[in-house]
Amino acid sequence: MEDRLLFLIGPPRSGSTLLARMLGAHSQILGVPEPHLLTPLAFLGYFDRVEKAPYDPVISQEAIQEVVLRLPEGEKDYIAACRAYADSVYEGLLATHPEKSILIDKTPAYALALPFIAQLYPKARYVTLTRNPLAILSSYAESFFDGSYEEALRFNPILDRYVPAIARFLRERRVPLVHVRYEQLVEHPAVELEKISDLLEIPFEEGMVEYGGDAVAAAAAQASHRGL
């Protein structure tokens, strides 16, 4: 399953939905709603834990650490079990569209669990999408908090959480990846989409650009208006 997966990594409001829809217009690529499949696995207690959950996270973490210690090959077996679970779901999704050969998982929260995901799927392909942080924050505040930057950051310190995690992922480059900048995507979509097609070893299709044409033009005009 690993060679059929494309993870699209980007912060909220970075343009990842636009890029996912453009990629999903390719005849070989299947796009699905954000599955949030891997984040619960990352925060079950072995690699990390949630502080607020409908169960006791301290007991859960202690228990799962003990379980992993008892496995014949320890963490290696645990990773294999997590991968088998995810594989079964991904394979089921692809089975609904047998004409497709690649599945996109675009879940922004994955940026907060990248070391785990890279360990789980080291040979999958990754597209990392970045955008001017000020544009991300502006879009986030305008979309959900009536333009209040203070309220937006109080609810979710989005830049502090996502930017360092993605920057570290790009520096380490432990997996096959392409780095796409939102500003370049909206100005030269064909160039950026060709880079992704090369990563996936599939032919570029013009329909990917045409699908996102109006949205790309609107995004480019907005970025130009804001001077971003």
Side-chain angles (χ1 to χ4, degrees):
M1 182 64 218
E2 193 165 19
D3 61 347
R4 305 180 71 189
L5 277 175
L6 172 63
F7 289 106
L8 175 48
I9 306 297
R13 317 309 299 173
S14 63
S16 58
T17 298
L18 170 64
L19 180 53
R21 289 178 177 171
M22 295 172 77
L23 291 170
H26 194 285
S27 62
Q28 296 186 42
I29 300 177
L30 175 63
V32 297
E34 298 173 6
H36 289 265
L37 183 64
L38 303 182
T39 34
L41 294 178
F43 292 93
L44 272 177
Y46 181 74
F47 292 100
D48 212 333
R49 72 175 194 211
V50 292
E51 297 300 326
K52 295 181 181 180
Y55 55 83
D56 188 314
V58 175
I59 293 175
S60 174
Q61 183 174 39
E62 292 174 351
I64 200 165
Q65 293 278 352
E66 178 65 24
V67 166
V68 173
L69 283 174
R70 292 174 178 269
L71 293 172
E73 296 192 54
E75 183 179 300
K76 182 178 179 181
D77 283 347
Y78 180 70
I79 287 286
C82 290
R83 187 184 301 114
Y85 159 71
D87 278 354
S88 67
V89 177
Y90 288 138
E91 288 169 358
L93 290 170
L94 271 173
T96 64
H97 293 270
E99 75 281 5
K100 306 285 188 177
S101 60
I102 296 169
L103 176 72
I104 302 174
D105 185 339
K106 191 277 291 187
T107 303
Y110 285 2
L112 307 180
L114 286 170
F116 167 71
I117 295 172
Q119 188 175 359
L120 194 66
Y121 285 112
K123 295 180 182 178
R125 273 71 66 91
Y126 294 75
V127 172
T128 305
L129 179 65
T130 59
R131 186 181 184 186
N132 185 313
L134 295 179
I136 289 176
L137 179 57
S138 175
S139 178
Y140 186 61
E142 293 290 342
S143 298
F144 303 113
F145 299 95
D146 294 325
S148 172
Y149 286 63
E150 290 184 1
E151 187 176 347
L153 290 172
R154 190 180 306 115
F155 180 81
N156 181 4
I158 187 170
L159 300 186
D160 288 343
R161 296 182 76 196
Y162 285 89
V163 173
I166 292 176
R168 187 179 309 114
F169 187 66
L170 285 170
R171 285 196 305 271
E172 293 175 350
R173 291 186 175 268
R174 296 182 178 178
V175 296
L177 68 84
V178 162
H179 178 198
V180 174
R181 291 176 172 82
Y182 173 81
E183 294 80 8
Q184 294 178 356
L185 175 67
V186 297
E187 288 200 17
H188 307 288
V191 173
E192 300 305 311
L193 292 168
E194 284 181 5
K195 287 163 49 178
I196 299 172
S197 298
D198 289 343
L199 175 72
L200 297 173
E201 299 180 312
I202 58 176
F204 167 75
E205 292 181 358
E206 290 289 345
M208 301 158 74
V209 176
E210 294 170 3
Y211 174 85
D214 293 341
V216 168
Q222 184 182 46
S224 175
H225 176 69
R226 292 181 177 178
L228 299 174

